[in-house]
Amino acid sequence: VDANTPFSQLMDALDDVVEKPKKGECVVYWMRMADLRIHDNRALSRASDQAQKDGIPLIVLFIISPQDYIAHDRGARRIDFTLRNLALMKTSFADLHIPLQVVTHFQRKTMPYCALSFCEKHGATTLFANIEYEVDELRRDLEICKLAAPKGIQANFFHNKCVIEPGIIVTKQDKAYTVYSPYQRKWIATLNANIPYYLEECPDPVANDENVRSSKIFAQLFDTRVPDYIEGFRLDDADREKMKEVWPAGEDVAAKMLDAFLATKARTSQLGAVDPVACGAEASDKASRVLKYGSERDRADRDTTSRLSLYLSSGVISVRACVRASMVKWKTSKVDDNRNSGVGRWIQEIAWRDFYTNVLAALPRVSMGRPFLEKFADVVWEKHEDSSGNDSEALKRWKAGTTGVPVVDAAMRCMNEMGWMHNRARMIAAMFLTKDLMIDWRVGERYFMEKLIDGDLASNNGGWQWCASTGVDPCPYFRIFNPYSQSSKVDPTGEFIRHWVPELRKLAGPDLHNPPTVTAKKLGYPLPVVVHSESRDRALRRYKNPGEE
Ligand code: FAD
């Protein structure tokens, strides 16, 4: 894999043998935004191990970095969810006499200094963290490696996000895979050949000695608070309450959702219950969805998927725990990747998550505003804002869910309201923006990050570039979704549209998916913002001849 990437450079830096530092006063675990859990957390577990060996306390640091959140288009909902989890963990850590200190540090460039001065202030000579694969984060960790050793601090980094960490599944030429199927085949073979290594559960951290609470250096850390909000990212009260209700914080919630999703026996009275509005924890109380996952995962009008994306992208649940649970529940000795079984199909989706993270680490330009397929860099996009930076009419209507195309509007309103959207609905909404409205995929990518509570750079970028036909293993540019025929496939009962677009609730059948002009006018529903057949021709022309109108 390209030696010049920050990922490769960090891997090389970690290979350098750093002299074992002198025993310090404590060990620091630096928790990041994607590892918000206590159980099965590699860096935390190893930090605890070190603290036990040295007979010193473990302390936990979390750095809030507003400038970083701005640079990464972090949405306020995701940040609010982070704070809610930190507040819960503060209590759980305190039960183990482990203090969790949340500090705010605005400047992203000086974050390494912030972390290292925290170590110095508390006399730590070892720092532990899990790796984040975004390019700026990798550069930050490289900087830490450089700065730590001269200060007598040993920085230790661990892979924790993926089932198989980036850089392992490579082609014969030692390159990153840019096509999913061969990656996935090698992924499953590698995993099944090394199950104990990849799926091993890390021991929980051991409690500190109770005396830590009265120690001069550490006692005050227990008294600090997790802020309720971050200036510039504050949700309005109604949205916050809604997010709290639909997406509760906590490892136990995520574990319960996983358990319900993988239940081996369907609670038959509820199996197949149509609940297109159920999201998050609400949905988790329904019957085993994995049973129908293979055949019904593309249905937006059924709650057949796990809804675990938020808990996975925030690290509230371990992806290893998800795979282990699938094996235990379904009594298999190998990880199942059979497309025809519900659980096997689900594991393949987990592999997509690894795939896109691998791409992000190996080909960082995909997240730096460049299309992976450079040949499409010059595709001509429609203007999406005026000279004052206001959204164009078409973009406004897409964002608000008033395009006049029911399935697109249902999808967008669902995300605006709940912070989550079904995978197939994401594909339809993204394809509509890029091909029907011919608006730059980067505009949509940013809006999804703003509204989604599960926003994850690797998966979001991968999904958008798939739909825009510019990414690794993308949808070919000439395969443009017809939103009306897609609509009847993802929402055959019409429940999804009727719920999210109540103007149309009295309609059924083809009229619901594509309301006749007279009917739409009567119901006060907008007429389509574009004519699909015409905009399809425009997209084909522009993709075929990048640079030309
Ligand atoms: P399940 O169907 O239960 O799948 C289990 C897990 O596998 C998911 O929780 C997720 O972690 C992973 N997964 C499933 N599908 C994909 C996929 N296509 N790519 C990568 N991982 C996948 N996912 C995010 O987590 N964050 C995002 O910001 C995000 N943005 C997307 C944007 C677009 C345009 C598209 C097309 C897809 C995006 N996805 C994103 C992927 C996918 O839509 C969601 O992960 C999925 O809908 C979450 O629902 P679930 O948890 O019920 O998934």
Side-chain angles (χ1 to χ4, degrees), residues 236-313:
D236 70 50
D237 289 349
D239 202 22
R240 183 155 199 260
E241 282 314 306
K242 170 136 239 169
M243 290 301 118
K244 260 164 101 173
E245 184 194 329
V246 180
W247 304 107
E251 293 183 56
D252 52 339
V253 172
K256 196 173 141 244
M257 286 173 69
L258 175 67
D259 195 51
F261 176 70
L262 289 175
T264 47
K265 275 200 194 121
R267 286 162 237 161
T268 42
S269 61
Q270 291 185 346
L271 185 68
V274 176
D275 200 349
V277 289
C279 258
E282 278 175 61
S284 78
D285 287 336
K286 301 289 180 297
S288 168
R289 275 159 287 144
V290 79
L291 284 180
K292 292 202 157 191
Y293 189 83
S295 55
E296 292 203 348
R297 61 181 286 275
D298 283 341
R299 294 275 300 269
D301 59 347
R302 296 258 193 263
D303 54 340
T304 49
T305 68
S306 71
R307 323 271 170 132
L308 278 168
S309 49
L310 162 65
Y311 299 89
L312 279 165
S313 58

Coordinates of all heavy atoms in Angstrom, one line a residue, residues 236-313:
D236 N -31.5 22.2 18.9 CA -32.6 22.9 19.6 C -33.2 21.8 20.5 O -33.1 20.6 20.3 CB -33.6 23.5 18.6 CG -34.4 22.5 17.8 OD1 -34.9 21.6 18.4 OD2 -34.4 22.7 16.6
D237 N -33.9 22.3 21.5 CA -34.4 21.4 22.6 C -35.3 20.2 22.0 O -35.1 19.1 22.5 CB -35.2 22.1 23.7 CG -34.3 23.0 24.5 OD1 -33.0 22.8 24.4 OD2 -34.8 23.9 25.2
A238 N -36.1 20.6 21.1 CA -37.0 19.5 20.6 C -36.3 18.4 19.9 O -36.5 17.2 20.1 CB -38.1 20.2 19.6
D239 N -35.3 18.8 19.1 CA -34.5 17.8 18.3 C -33.7 17.0 19.3 O -33.6 15.8 19.1 CB -33.5 18.6 17.3 CG -33.1 17.6 16.2 OD1 -33.8 16.6 15.9 OD2 -32.1 17.9 15.6
R240 N -33.1 17.6 20.3 CA -32.3 16.9 21.3 C -33.2 15.8 22.0 O -32.8 14.7 22.2 CB -31.8 17.9 22.3 CG -30.8 17.3 23.3 CD -29.8 18.2 23.9 NE -28.7 17.5 24.5 CZ -28.6 17.3 25.8 NH1 -29.5 17.7 26.6 NH2 -27.6 16.6 26.2
E241 N -34.4 16.3 22.4 CA -35.3 15.3 23.1 C -35.6 14.1 22.1 O -35.6 13.0 22.5 CB -36.6 16.0 23.5 CG -36.4 16.9 24.8 CD -35.6 16.1 25.9 OE1 -36.0 15.0 26.3 OE2 -34.6 16.7 26.4
K242 N -35.9 14.5 20.9 CA -36.2 13.4 19.9 C -35.1 12.5 19.8 O -35.2 11.2 19.8 CB -36.6 14.1 18.6 CG -36.7 13.2 17.5 CD -37.9 13.5 16.6 CE -38.8 12.2 16.6 NZ -40.1 12.5 16.0
M243 N -33.9 13.0 19.6 CA -32.7 12.1 19.4 C -32.5 11.2 20.6 O -32.1 10.1 20.5 CB -31.4 13.0 19.1 CG -31.4 13.7 17.7 SD -31.6 12.5 16.4 CE -33.1 13.0 15.6
K244 N -32.7 11.8 21.8 CA -32.5 11.1 23.0 C -33.4 9.9 23.1 O -33.1 8.8 23.5 CB -32.8 12.0 24.2 CG -31.5 12.5 24.9 CD -31.8 13.7 25.8 CE -31.9 13.4 27.2 NZ -32.0 14.6 28.0
E245 N -34.7 10.2 22.6 CA -35.7 9.1 22.7 C -35.5 8.0 21.7 O -35.5 6.8 21.9 CB -37.0 9.8 22.5 CG -38.2 9.0 22.6 CD -39.5 9.7 22.0 OE1 -39.5 10.9 22.0 OE2 -40.3 9.0 21.4
V246 N -35.1 8.5 20.4 CA -35.0 7.5 19.4 C -33.6 6.8 19.4 O -33.5 5.6 19.1 CB -35.1 8.2 18.0 CG1 -35.0 7.2 16.9 CG2 -36.5 8.9 17.9
W247 N -32.6 7.5 19.8 CA -31.3 6.9 19.8 C -30.6 7.1 21.2 O -29.8 7.9 21.4 CB -30.4 7.6 18.8 CG -30.9 7.6 17.4 CD1 -31.4 8.7 16.7 CD2 -30.9 6.5 16.5 NE1 -31.8 8.3 15.4 CE2 -31.5 6.9 15.3 CE3 -30.5 5.2 16.6 CZ2 -31.7 6.1 14.2 CZ3 -30.7 4.3 15.5 CH2 -31.3 4.8 14.3
P248 N -31.1 6.3 22.1 CA -30.5 6.4 23.5 C -29.1 6.1 23.5 O -28.6 5.3 22.7 CB -31.3 5.4 24.3 CG -32.4 4.9 23.4 CD -32.0 5.2 22.0
A249 N -28.4 6.7 24.4 CA -26.9 6.4 24.6 C -26.7 5.1 25.4 O -27.6 4.7 26.0 CB -26.3 7.6 25.3
G250 N -25.5 4.6 25.3 CA -25.1 3.5 26.2 C -24.9 2.2 25.5 O -25.6 1.8 24.6
E251 N -23.9 1.5 26.1 CA -23.5 0.2 25.5 C -24.6 -0.8 25.7 O -24.7 -1.7 24.9 CB -22.2 -0.3 26.3 CG -21.0 0.5 25.9 CD -19.7 0.0 26.6 OE1 -19.4 -1.2 26.4 OE2 -19.1 0.7 27.3
D252 N -25.3 -0.7 26.8 CA -26.4 -1.7 27.1 C -27.5 -1.6 26.0 O -28.1 -2.6 25.6 CB -26.9 -1.6 28.5 CG -27.4 -0.2 28.8 OD1 -26.9 0.8 28.2 OD2 -28.2 0.0 29.8
V253 N -27.8 -0.4 25.6 CA -28.8 -0.2 24.5 C -28.4 -0.9 23.3 O -29.1 -1.6 22.6 CB -29.0 1.3 24.2 CG1 -30.0 1.5 23.0 CG2 -29.6 2.0 25.5
A254 N -27.1 -0.6 22.9 CA -26.6 -1.2 21.6 C -26.6 -2.7 21.7 O -26.9 -3.4 20.8 CB -25.2 -0.7 21.4
A255 N -26.2 -3.3 22.9 CA -26.1 -4.7 23.0 C -27.5 -5.3 22.9 O -27.7 -6.4 22.3 CB -25.5 -5.1 24.4
K256 N -28.5 -4.6 23.5 CA -29.9 -5.1 23.4 C -30.4 -5.1 21.9 O -31.1 -6.0 21.5 CB -30.8 -4.2 24.3 CG -32.1 -4.7 24.6 CD -32.8 -3.8 25.6 CE -34.3 -3.8 25.2 NZ -34.8 -2.5 24.9
M257 N -30.0 -4.0 21.2 CA -30.4 -3.9 19.8 C -29.8 -5.0 19.0 O -30.5 -5.6 18.1 CB -30.0 -2.6 19.2 CG -30.9 -1.4 19.7 SD -30.3 0.2 19.2 CE -30.6 0.1 17.4
L258 N -28.5 -5.3 19.2 CA -27.9 -6.4 18.5 C -28.6 -7.7 18.8 O -28.8 -8.5 17.9 CB -26.4 -6.5 18.9 CG -25.6 -7.6 18.4 CD1 -25.5 -7.5 16.8 CD2 -24.2 -7.7 19.0
D259 N -28.8 -7.9 20.1 CA -29.5 -9.2 20.5 C -30.8 -9.4 19.9 O -31.2 -10.4 19.4 CB -29.6 -9.1 22.1 CG -29.9 -10.4 22.7 OD1 -29.2 -11.3 22.4 OD2 -30.9 -10.5 23.4
A260 N -31.6 -8.3 19.9 CA -32.9 -8.4 19.2 C -32.8 -8.6 17.7 O -33.6 -9.4 17.2 CB -33.7 -7.1 19.5
F261 N -31.9 -8.0 17.1 CA -31.7 -8.2 15.7 C -31.3 -9.6 15.3 O -31.8 -10.2 14.3 CB -30.6 -7.2 15.1 CG -30.3 -7.4 13.7 CD1 -31.3 -7.0 12.7 CD2 -29.1 -7.9 13.3 CE1 -31.0 -7.2 11.4 CE2 -28.9 -8.1 11.9 CZ -29.8 -7.7 11.0
L262 N -30.5 -10.2 16.1 CA -30.0 -11.5 15.8 C -30.8 -12.7 16.5 O -30.4 -13.8 16.3 CB -28.5 -11.7 16.3 CG -27.4 -10.9 15.5 CD1 -26.1 -11.0 16.2 CD2 -27.4 -11.3 14.1
A263 N -31.9 -12.3 17.1 CA -32.6 -13.3 17.8 C -32.8 -14.5 16.9 O -33.2 -14.4 15.8 CB -34.0 -12.8 18.3
T264 N -32.6 -15.7 17.5 CA -32.7 -16.9 16.6 C -34.1 -17.3 16.4 O -34.5 -17.9 15.3 CB -32.0 -18.1 17.3 OG1 -32.4 -18.2 18.6 CG2 -30.5 -18.0 17.2
K265 N -35.0 -16.9 17.3 CA -36.4 -17.3 17.1 C -37.1 -16.0 16.9 O -37.1 -15.1 17.7 CB -37.0 -17.9 18.4 CG -36.7 -19.4 18.4 CD -37.7 -20.1 19.3 CE -37.2 -21.5 19.6 NZ -36.9 -21.8 21.0
A266 N -37.9 -16.0 15.8 CA -38.7 -14.8 15.6 C -39.8 -14.8 16.6 O -40.4 -15.8 16.9 CB -39.3 -14.9 14.2
R267 N -40.1 -13.6 17.1 CA -41.3 -13.5 17.9 C -42.4 -13.3 16.9 O -42.7 -12.2 16.5 CB -41.2 -12.3 18.9 CG -40.2 -12.6 20.0 CD -39.7 -11.4 20.7 NE -38.3 -11.3 20.6 CZ -37.6 -10.2 20.8 NH1 -38.2 -9.1 21.0 NH2 -36.3 -10.3 20.8
T268 N -43.1 -14.4 16.6 CA -43.8 -14.5 15.4 C -45.0 -13.4 15.3 O -45.3 -13.0 14.2 CB -44.5 -15.9 15.2 OG1 -44.9 -16.3 16.4 CG2 -43.5 -16.9 14.6
S269 N -45.5 -13.1 16.4 CA -46.6 -12.1 16.3 C -46.1 -10.8 15.7 O -46.9 -10.1 15.1 CB -47.2 -11.9 17.7 OG -46.2 -11.3 18.5
Q270 N -44.8 -10.6 15.8 CA -44.4 -9.3 15.3 C -43.6 -9.4 14.0 O -43.3 -8.4 13.4 CB -43.5 -8.6 16.4 CG -44.3 -8.1 17.5 CD -43.5 -7.4 18.5 OE1 -42.3 -7.4 18.4 NE2 -44.1 -6.7 19.4
L271 N -43.2 -10.6 13.7 CA -42.3 -10.7 12.5 C -43.0 -10.2 11.3 O -44.2 -10.5 11.0 CB -41.9 -12.2 12.3 CG -41.0 -12.4 11.1 CD1 -39.6 -11.8 11.5 CD2 -40.8 -13.8 10.8
G272 N -42.4 -9.3 10.6 CA -43.0 -8.7 9.4 C -43.9 -7.6 9.7 O -44.5 -7.0 8.8
A273 N -43.9 -7.2 11.0 CA -44.7 -6.0 11.3 C -44.2 -4.9 10.5 O -43.1 -4.6 10.5 CB -44.7 -5.8 12.8
V274 N -45.2 -4.1 9.9 CA -44.7 -3.0 9.1 C -44.5 -1.8 10.1 O -45.4 -1.4 10.7 CB -45.8 -2.6 8.1 CG1 -45.4 -1.4 7.3 CG2 -46.0 -3.8 7.2
D275 N -43.3 -1.4 10.2 CA -43.0 -0.3 11.1 C -42.0 0.6 10.5 O -40.8 0.7 10.9 CB -42.6 -0.8 12.4 CG -42.8 0.2 13.5 OD1 -43.1 1.4 13.1 OD2 -42.6 -0.1 14.7
P276 N -42.4 1.3 9.4 CA -41.4 2.1 8.7 C -40.9 3.3 9.5 O -39.9 3.9 9.2 CB -42.1 2.6 7.5 CG -43.6 2.6 7.9 CD -43.7 1.5 8.8
V277 N -41.6 3.6 10.6 CA -41.2 4.8 11.4 C -40.3 4.4 12.5 O -39.6 5.3 13.1 CB -42.4 5.6 12.0 CG1 -43.2 6.3 10.9 CG2 -43.3 4.6 12.8
A278 N -40.3 3.1 12.8 CA -39.4 2.7 13.9 C -38.0 3.0 13.6 O -37.5 2.8 12.5 CB -39.6 1.2 14.2
C279 N -37.3 3.6 14.5 CA -35.9 3.9 14.3 C -35.2 3.5 15.6 O -35.8 3.4 16.7 CB -35.7 5.4 14.1 SG -35.4 5.8 12.4
G280 N -33.9 3.2 15.5 CA -33.1 3.0 16.7 C -33.7 2.0 17.7 O -34.2 0.9 17.3
A281 N -33.7 2.4 18.9 CA -34.1 1.5 20.0 C -35.6 1.1 19.9 O -35.9 0.0 20.3 CB -33.9 2.2 21.3
E282 N -36.4 1.9 19.3 CA -37.8 1.5 19.1 C -37.8 0.3 18.3 O -38.6 -0.7 18.6 CB -38.5 2.6 18.3 CG -39.0 3.8 19.1 CD -39.6 4.8 18.1 OE1 -40.6 4.4 17.4 OE2 -39.1 5.9 18.0
A283 N -37.1 0.3 17.2 CA -37.1 -0.9 16.3 C -36.5 -2.1 16.9 O -36.9 -3.2 16.6 CB -36.3 -0.5 15.0
S284 N -35.6 -1.9 17.9 CA -34.9 -3.1 18.4 C -35.8 -4.0 19.2 O -35.5 -5.1 19.5 CB -33.8 -2.6 19.3 OG -34.3 -2.2 20.5
D285 N -37.0 -3.5 19.6 CA -37.9 -4.4 20.3 C -38.7 -5.3 19.4 O -39.4 -6.1 19.9 CB -38.9 -3.5 21.1 CG -38.1 -2.9 22.3 OD1 -37.1 -3.5 22.7 OD2 -38.6 -1.9 22.8
K286 N -38.5 -5.1 18.1 CA -39.2 -6.0 17.2 C -38.6 -7.3 17.1 O -37.5 -7.6 17.6 CB -39.3 -5.3 15.8 CG -40.0 -4.0 15.9 CD -41.5 -4.1 16.1 CE -42.2 -2.8 16.2 NZ -41.7 -1.9 17.3
A287 N -39.2 -8.2 16.4 CA -38.7 -9.6 16.2 C -37.5 -9.7 15.4 O -37.0 -8.7 14.8 CB -39.8 -10.4 15.6
S288 N -36.9 -10.9 15.4 CA -35.6 -11.1 14.7 C -35.7 -10.6 13.3 O -36.4 -11.1 12.4 CB -35.4 -12.6 14.6 OG -34.3 -12.8 13.7
R289 N -34.9 -9.6 13.0 CA -34.9 -9.1 11.6 C -33.9 -9.8 10.8 O -34.0 -9.8 9.6 CB -34.6 -7.5 11.7 CG -35.9 -6.8 11.9 CD -35.7 -5.4 12.5 NE -35.3 -5.5 13.9 CZ -34.4 -4.7 14.4 NH1 -33.8 -3.8 13.7 NH2 -34.1 -4.9 15.7
V290 N -32.9 -10.4 11.4 CA -31.8 -11.0 10.6 C -32.4 -12.2 9.8 O -31.9 -12.4 8.7 CB -30.6 -11.5 11.5 CG1 -30.9 -12.8 12.2 CG2 -29.4 -11.6 10.7
L291 N -33.5 -12.8 10.3 CA -34.1 -13.9 9.5 C -34.5 -13.5 8.1 O -34.4 -14.2 7.2 CB -35.3 -14.4 10.3 CG -35.1 -15.3 11.5 CD1 -36.4 -15.7 12.1 CD2 -34.3 -16.5 11.1
K292 N -35.0 -12.3 8.0 CA -35.5 -11.8 6.7 C -34.5 -10.8 6.1 O -34.9 -10.3 5.0 CB -36.8 -11.1 7.0 CG -37.9 -12.0 7.4 CD -39.3 -11.4 7.1 CE -40.3 -12.4 7.0 NZ -41.6 -12.0 6.5
Y293 N -33.3 -10.7 6.7 CA -32.4 -9.7 6.1 C -32.0 -10.0 4.7 O -32.0 -9.0 3.9 CB -31.2 -9.7 7.0 CG -30.2 -8.5 6.7 CD1 -30.5 -7.2 7.2 CD2 -29.1 -8.7 5.9 CE1 -29.6 -6.2 6.9 CE2 -28.3 -7.6 5.6 CZ -28.5 -6.4 6.1 OH -27.7 -5.3 5.8
G294 N -31.8 -11.2 4.4 CA -31.4 -11.6 3.0 C -32.4 -11.1 2.0 O -32.0 -10.5 1.0
S295 N -33.7 -11.4 2.3 CA -34.7 -11.1 1.2 C -35.3 -9.7 1.4 O -35.8 -9.2 0.4 CB -35.8 -12.1 1.3 OG -36.3 -12.2 2.6
E296 N -35.2 -9.1 2.6 CA -36.0 -7.9 2.8 C -35.1 -6.7 3.2 O -35.7 -5.6 3.6 CB -37.1 -8.1 3.9 CG -38.1 -9.1 3.4 CD -39.4 -8.9 4.2 OE1 -39.4 -8.2 5.2 OE2 -40.4 -9.4 3.8
R297 N -33.8 -6.8 3.1 CA -33.0 -5.7 3.6 C -33.2 -4.5 2.8 O -32.9 -3.4 3.2 CB -31.5 -6.1 3.6 CG -31.0 -6.5 2.3 CD -29.5 -6.9 2.4 NE -28.7 -5.8 2.6 CZ -28.2 -5.0 1.6 NH1 -28.5 -5.3 0.4 NH2 -27.4 -4.0 1.9
D298 N -33.7 -4.6 1.6 CA -33.8 -3.4 0.7 C -35.2 -2.8 0.9 O -35.5 -1.8 0.1 CB -33.6 -3.8 -0.8 CG -32.1 -3.9 -1.1 OD1 -31.3 -3.4 -0.3 OD2 -31.8 -4.6 -2.1
R299 N -36.0 -3.3 1.8 CA -37.3 -2.7 2.0 C -37.3 -1.6 3.0 O -37.0 -1.7 4.2 CB -38.3 -3.8 2.5 CG -38.5 -4.9 1.5 CD -39.6 -4.6 0.6 NE -40.9 -4.4 1.2 CZ -41.8 -5.3 1.4 NH1 -41.6 -6.5 1.1 NH2 -43.0 -5.0 2.0
A300 N -37.6 -0.4 2.5 CA -37.7 0.8 3.4 C -38.9 0.8 4.3 O -39.0 1.5 5.2 CB -37.5 2.1 2.7
D301 N -39.9 0.0 3.9 CA -41.2 -0.1 4.6 C -41.2 -1.2 5.7 O -42.2 -1.5 6.2 CB -42.4 -0.2 3.6 CG -42.3 -1.5 2.8 OD1 -41.2 -2.1 2.8 OD2 -43.2 -1.9 2.2
R302 N -40.1 -1.8 5.9 CA -40.0 -2.9 6.9 C -38.8 -2.5 7.8 O -37.8 -2.0 7.3 CB -39.8 -4.2 6.3 CG -40.9 -4.7 5.4 CD -41.7 -5.8 6.2 NE -42.6 -6.5 5.3 CZ -43.9 -6.2 5.2 NH1 -44.4 -5.2 5.8 NH2 -44.6 -6.9 4.4
D303 N -38.8 -2.9 9.1 CA -37.6 -2.7 9.9 C -36.8 -4.0 9.9 O -36.7 -4.6 10.9 CB -38.0 -2.1 11.3 CG -39.0 -3.0 12.0 OD1 -39.7 -3.7 11.4 OD2 -39.0 -2.8 13.2
T304 N -36.2 -4.3 8.8 CA -35.4 -5.5 8.7 C -33.9 -5.4 8.9 O -33.2 -6.4 8.9 CB -35.6 -6.2 7.3 OG1 -35.4 -5.2 6.3 CG2 -37.0 -6.8 7.1
T305 N -33.5 -4.1 9.0 CA -32.0 -4.0 9.2 C -31.7 -3.7 10.7 O -32.7 -3.5 11.5 CB -31.4 -2.9 8.4 OG1 -31.9 -1.6 8.8 CG2 -31.8 -3.0 6.9
S306 N -30.5 -3.7 11.1 CA -30.1 -3.7 12.5 C -30.3 -2.3 13.2 O -30.4 -2.2 14.4 CB -28.7 -4.2 12.7 OG -27.8 -3.2 12.2
R307 N -30.2 -1.3 12.4 CA -30.2 0.1 12.9 C -29.0 0.3 13.9 O -29.1 1.1 14.8 CB -31.5 0.5 13.6 CG -32.7 -0.1 13.0 CD -33.3 0.8 11.9 NE -34.3 0.1 11.1 CZ -35.5 0.6 10.9 NH1 -35.8 1.9 11.2 NH2 -36.4 -0.1 10.2
L308 N -27.9 -0.4 13.7 CA -26.8 -0.3 14.6 C -25.7 0.7 14.1 O -24.7 0.9 14.7 CB -26.1 -1.7 14.8 CG -26.8 -2.6 15.8 CD1 -26.3 -4.0 15.7 CD2 -26.7 -2.1 17.2
S309 N -25.9 1.3 12.9 CA -24.9 2.1 12.3 C -24.4 3.2 13.2 O -23.2 3.4 13.3 CB -25.3 2.7 11.0 OG -26.6 3.3 11.1
L310 N -25.3 3.8 13.9 CA -24.8 4.9 14.9 C -23.9 4.3 16.0 O -22.9 4.9 16.3 CB -26.1 5.5 15.5 CG -25.8 6.3 16.8 CD1 -25.0 7.5 16.5 CD2 -27.2 6.7 17.4
Y311 N -24.3 3.2 16.5 CA -23.6 2.6 17.6 C -22.2 2.0 17.1 O -21.3 2.1 17.9 CB -24.4 1.5 18.3 CG -25.7 2.1 18.9 CD1 -26.9 2.2 18.1 CD2 -25.7 2.7 20.1 CE1 -28.0 2.8 18.6 CE2 -26.9 3.3 20.6 CZ -28.0 3.4 19.8 OH -29.1 4.0 20.3
L312 N -22.2 1.6 15.9 CA -20.9 1.1 15.3 C -20.0 2.3 15.0 O -18.9 2.3 15.3 CB -21.2 0.3 14.0 CG -21.6 -1.1 14.3 CD1 -22.2 -1.8 13.0 CD2 -20.4 -2.0 14.8
S313 N -20.6 3.4 14.3 CA -19.7 4.5 13.9 C -19.2 5.3 15.2 O -18.1 5.8 15.1 CB -20.4 5.4 12.9 OG -21.6 5.9 13.4

